[in-house]
Amino acid sequence: MPPRAVTAEMPEANYLIGHPDGKYYRLLMRCFYERSLSHITYVRTDDLVAFVQQYLPYDDATCRQHLDQMEKWGLVTLIPEQSKPANLMELRQKPRVYQASRIALRLEALRAELEQEEGAASLDPAALDLLVQRVRELADFIEQDGLHRDGAAPEAHRLWAGVYESFGAFSRRIREYLEDLPRHRPREVLDYEAFRAYRDLLIPYLQDYARRLFDRREQLRMRIRVLARSKELLATTAAVVEAQQVRADGSRPDFDRQKERFLREIDALIGYFGDQGDVDVLLERAQAWVSEITRHARRLSEQHLGGSVREQTLLDLARRFSECTSLEQAESLAQVVFAATLPLHWRGEAPPPADKDPWEAEPVTVPLYAVRRGQRPRQQPEATADRTSEALQKMLSAKAERDRAAQELAELFGDESELDLGDLTVREPRQRQLLLRLLYKALSQQGPVGVGYRNWSVTAEVKADAPLGRLSAADGTATLPHVILRLHKGGPR
C-alpha cells in the first residue's frame, strides 16, 4: 500500500477538531480503545450504546447515525453479518459489529497518554542531585588521569553517558515545569481564596528549589571547569568507544561526526551552568514569578479587605434600619444615610449623646466649598473638628496641666510679678530649674520669652555692677548676680 502524502487530508481526525457531536464520537472511540486493550477487536452496537449512556443520554438510532458517519471517515469498518436474518425486522434490530481502524486506535491511544500526563509537572530535586553526583564522579575520574590510562576509555564513555542522560532529564523537567506553570494558575485570577492557596503552595516550592539550585550551581561550576579543560580528550575518548561499538554492529563508523556530537553535548552542559547561562535565566524567572504572584496576592488582599469593610458598613446600616420602631425613625435615618452625612458618633469620632437615642442625634454638618488651585479650604466657624472621645480627654488633661503650671508660676512670682534671683529661696528644685531655664532663654533671646501658657512672657533685667547673690532650693544653692525676672500677663502676643 503506498504511503499517504504528508499534506493529505485526515478524515480520521475530524471527530477531534470541533465537530458538533464530537463528545459522542470521542466516547465511541474510547470504547473501541478500551476494548482493544483487552484484545477485543470487534464491538457490537449495543455495547457502544451502553458505554456512552454511562456519561450522556444516548439511543440506538443516534448510535447508528454516528457509526455511519465514522464509517465514512474511515474510523471504523462494518463487519458483514455471519448469520442470515429471518426477515427484514430481525435485520434492522440485530446489533451490528464494528472494527476500529489502526490509525483511529493510535490517535485515541495518544489522547489517553496525554490525559495521563495532565498532572502538574514538578522540578524533581532528585534529578538535580543525581546530575551533581554523576558530574562529580566524572570530574574525579578525569582528575585521577583516568583518560590517560590504558583500558579506561569504556569507563569514561559510561560516565559521560550517565552525565548527559542526567543532564537531559534535569533540563527536560525544568522545561516541562516552566511550560506547565501558567496552566495550573487559578482560572479566575481575581478569586482571592483560590489565588491565596495557589500562592501558599507555589512560592515555598519555588523558593526552596531556587535555594537548592543556587547551591548546586556553584558546586557544578567547580566540577565543570575540570570537564572544560579536558573536553577535547573526553570527546575523542567517547567517540573512539562509540566507533568501536558501531564497527561491532557491522556498520561503518564516522569518527569525526561522533566527536562533533560529543563536543556539542559537553559545550551544552558547560554553557547551561556557565555565567549568564540557562540556569541563571531559570533563577531570574523563578524570582520574577514569585514577585509577580506576591504582588498580585497583595492587590487581591487589599481589594478583599476593602470589600469586607464595605460589607460590614452595609450590614451595620441594615441593622440600624431593622432596629427602627416607627416609620418616622426610618425616614429620619434614611435622610441621614442617603445624604452621606453620617453622625460622628456613628463613626466613633465623637462621644455619643447621653440625653437622646443615637439615631435622633443631629450629625455635625461640614459644608463643602469650591476651592481654587493654590488656596486652602476654609471651614465655617460652626464646623468642629472630628475628635474621638480619647483624643478629647487627652486634650482636656493637657489643658488642665497647663493651667496648673501657670497657677504655680503665678504664685511663685507673687502679686508684684517680679523676682530677684540674687536673693531668693524656693521650695522645690524643679522651681529653681524652671527659673534658670527662663533666665537663660531671656538672656539668649534678649527679649521676652514665652512660658507655654496663652500669651504670658518673662523678661530679664541685669543691673549694672550687680553683686553676687544666692538662689537656694531644697537640694542646694546656686550663685547668681542680682537678676530681676518679671512676669507679664496678657497684652499683645
Side-chain angles (χ1 to χ4, degrees):
M1 181 177 179
R4 179 184 298 184
V6 177
T7 57
E9 295 184 359
M10 287 190 62
E12 300 91 347
N14 286 347
Y15 77 102
L16 292 174
I17 49 176
H19 195 276
D21 291 342
K23 54 185 178 181
Y24 297 102
Y25 292 128
R26 290 188 174 186
L27 288 173
L28 292 173
M29 288 309 306
R30 182 54 58 92
C31 182
F32 279 108
Y33 172 69
E34 292 183 357
R35 295 296 192 277
S36 67
L37 296 178
S38 302
H39 304 286
I40 300 176
T41 307
Y42 308 106
V43 184
R44 294 160 53 98
T45 54
D46 51 356
D47 295 335
L48 293 170
V49 172
F51 182 85
V52 176
Q53 286 178 348
Q54 298 177 8
Y55 305 93
L56 297 171
Y58 208 51
D59 53 19
D60 293 339
T62 308
C63 182
R64 290 288 181 93
Q65 297 176 3
H66 290 158
L67 288 172
D68 292 341
Q69 182 61 50
M70 294 171 68
E71 188 177 3
K72 295 178 182 179
W73 285 336
L75 289 171
V76 297
T77 303
L78 176 62
I79 305 301
E81 294 289 343
Q82 301 297 327
S83 60
K84 184 177 180 180
N87 49 45
L88 184 60
M89 183 61 67
E90 182 180 352
L91 176 63
R92 291 181 177 178
Q93 295 180 353
K94 187 174 183 180
R96 296 184 180 183
V97 180
Y98 290 87
Q99 181 182 17
S101 65
R102 183 178 58 85
I103 294 180
L105 291 177
R106 183 56 182 164
L107 288 175
E108 193 63 28
L110 292 175
R111 284 191 63 245
E113 292 177 4
L114 291 176
E115 290 174 357
Q116 294 178 359
E117 296 177 357
E118 284 295 318
S122 63
L123 291 171
D124 191 12
L128 175 61
D129 297 337
L130 180 60
L131 175 61
V132 174
Q133 177 184 353
R134 290 186 172 179
V135 170
R136 183 185 298 115
E137 292 176 355
L138 179 58
D140 294 341
F141 177 80
I142 294 175
E143 288 180 342
Q144 296 172 4
D145 291 335
L147 295 177
H148 298 86
R149 293 200 303 264
D150 295 337
E155 181 68 14
H157 180 270
R158 183 188 66 81
L159 290 175
W160 171 248
V163 168
Y164 194 72
E165 179 184 358
S166 301
F167 173 59
F170 163 75
S171 59
R172 183 175 63 254
R173 283 281 190 176
I174 291 179
R175 184 178 64 254
E176 292 175 354
Y177 184 81
L178 293 178
E179 293 174 354
D180 193 62
L181 194 58
R183 186 171 62 87
H184 290 277
R185 189 170 51 190
R187 293 179 179 269
E188 181 57 51
V189 295
L190 298 181
D191 187 353
Y192 174 68
E193 298 296 336
F195 200 88
R196 185 177 63 175
Y198 172 72
R199 176 202 62 186
D200 296 342
L201 178 64
L202 182 64
I203 289 181
Y205 182 78
L206 275 178
Q207 290 178 341
D208 180 71
Y209 189 83
R211 287 192 295 267
R212 180 193 295 265
L213 181 59
F214 184 82
D215 297 337
R216 300 296 188 273
R217 179 192 64 175
E218 301 304 320
Q219 300 176 14
L220 284 170
R221 283 180 176 176
M222 295 178 59
R223 299 292 181 175
I224 288 176
R225 293 193 186 100
V226 179
L227 273 65
R229 291 194 298 267
S230 306
K231 68 175 184 178
E232 286 287 341
L233 182 58
L234 177 61
T236 303
T237 304
V240 169
V241 176
E242 194 80 13
Q244 292 176 355
Q245 294 177 356
V246 171
R247 188 179 292 107
D249 295 336
S251 302
R252 177 179 295 179
D254 192 342
F255 176 80
D256 294 335
R257 182 178 299 178
Q258 296 294 338
K259 180 180 178 181
E260 290 295 330
R261 178 173 67 86
F262 284 113
L263 284 175
R264 287 196 303 270
E265 294 177 355
I266 297 173
D267 290 336
L269 177 63
I270 295 173
Y272 195 96
F273 290 96
D275 294 335
Q276 303 300 323
D278 291 348
V279 67
D280 292 336
V281 175
L282 171 62
L283 290 173
E284 292 177 0
R285 289 190 61 181
Q287 183 178 3
W289 195 266
V290 169
S291 302
E292 179 183 352
I293 293 175
T294 304
R295 286 195 301 269
H296 187 69
R298 186 182 300 113
R299 289 193 296 266
L300 289 182
S301 177
E302 294 173 355
Q303 295 175 5
H304 181 72
L305 180 60
S308 300
V309 172
R310 290 192 297 271
E311 180 182 4
Q312 187 63 34
T313 303
L314 293 176
L315 291 176
D316 182 64
L317 291 178
R319 179 182 60 79
R320 293 182 183 276
F321 273 105
S322 65
E323 292 177 354
C324 293
T325 58
S326 64
L327 183 59
E328 291 77 8
Q329 293 182 4
E331 290 178 351
S332 302
L333 182 60
Q335 292 177 2
V336 173
V337 171
F338 296 111
T341 56
L342 294 179
L344 297 182
H345 60 272
W346 282 13
R347 302 201 301 259
E349 298 176 0
D355 55 343
K356 58 178 66 176
D357 294 334
W359 69 271
E360 294 178 347
E362 293 294 333
V364 177
T365 304
V366 181
L368 301 178
Y369 298 92
V371 179
R372 296 181 181 178
R373 182 175 297 177
Q375 294 182 349
R376 299 180 59 186
R378 298 179 180 178
Q379 292 183 342
Q380 294 296 324
E382 64 270 17
T384 59
D386 295 341
R387 299 187 182 95
T388 61
S389 57
E390 293 81 2
L392 182 60
Q393 293 297 329
K394 187 181 296 184
M395 292 174 59
L396 294 176
S397 300
K399 182 179 181 301
E401 182 65 22
R402 289 195 300 271
D403 292 342
R404 187 191 61 79
Q407 183 65 25
E408 182 181 0
L409 186 63
E411 294 177 356
L412 182 61
F413 275 84
D415 297 335
E416 298 179 357
S417 300
E418 183 177 305
L419 289 178
D420 185 359
L421 299 186
D423 185 13
L424 181 64
T425 301
V426 295
R427 297 191 306 271
E428 299 179 6
R430 60 183 182 85
Q431 294 177 346
R432 181 189 62 194
Q433 296 174 2
L434 174 61
L435 294 174
L436 291 177
R437 182 173 60 83
L438 292 175
L439 171 63
Y440 297 150
K441 288 180 63 176
L443 294 177
S444 61
Q445 297 182 10
Q446 297 181 358
V449 296
V451 297
Y453 181 79
R454 294 187 179 178
N455 55 347
W456 290 13
S457 62
V458 172
T459 58
E461 178 185 353
V462 181
K463 296 181 180 181
D465 299 331
L468 295 178
R470 295 184 303 172
L471 173 60
S472 302
D475 62 340
T477 301
T479 302
L480 292 173
H482 287 268
V483 180
I484 306 300
L485 286 183
R486 292 187 177 87
L487 177 64
H488 307 275
K489 301 179 181 179
R493 292 180 177 272

